[in-house]
Amino acid sequence: MIYENEFVVCILDIAPFNDGHILILPRKHYLDVEEIDELTLSAIMNASAKMSILLKKTFNPDGITFCQNGGTFNDLQHYHMHAIPRFIDDGFSWSEPKEEFKTERSLKEIKLLLLKELVASD
């Protein structure tokens, strides 16, 4: 364990992309980010800032990547955020689609769909 408080624990990933790859996990069980209460969400973000500072001081990376996978893509079946120290030419990259990005909708159409749903859910 690298860090803990009443809301979160931060541990090293057992299959790290780079030295210092940390997982930030809420103590209480959640699967997806939208299930998490406000205090725990705040604690996760505060821990991500603390881990960023720690990783920068310890490993002097070129940057930090933070990410989380939800739903089917959450391989732990428990919400967790990755904090990954990044180095130029480390081989880690954003996963691109197998095929060229395609959409039949304009950004304006997508925006309207999202705003319509946002208003409906309030």
Side-chain angles (χ1 to χ4, degrees), residues 3 14 22 32 34 50 68 83 96 98 100 111 118 120:
Y3 172 80
I14 62 171
I22 293 172
D32 288 316
E34 68 273 9
K50 286 180 189 298
Q68 65 90 40
E96 297 293 335
K98 291 181 181 180
E100 185 179 327
K111 176 184 172 184
L118 188 61

Side-chain angles (χ1 to χ4, degrees), residues 106-122:
S106 69
L107 291 177
K108 184 176 181 178
E109 289 174 285
I110 297 297
K111 176 184 172 184
L112 291 173
L113 284 170
L114 291 168
L115 291 177
K116 180 180 175 184
E117 186 59 36
L118 188 61
V119 169
S121 65
D122 281 344

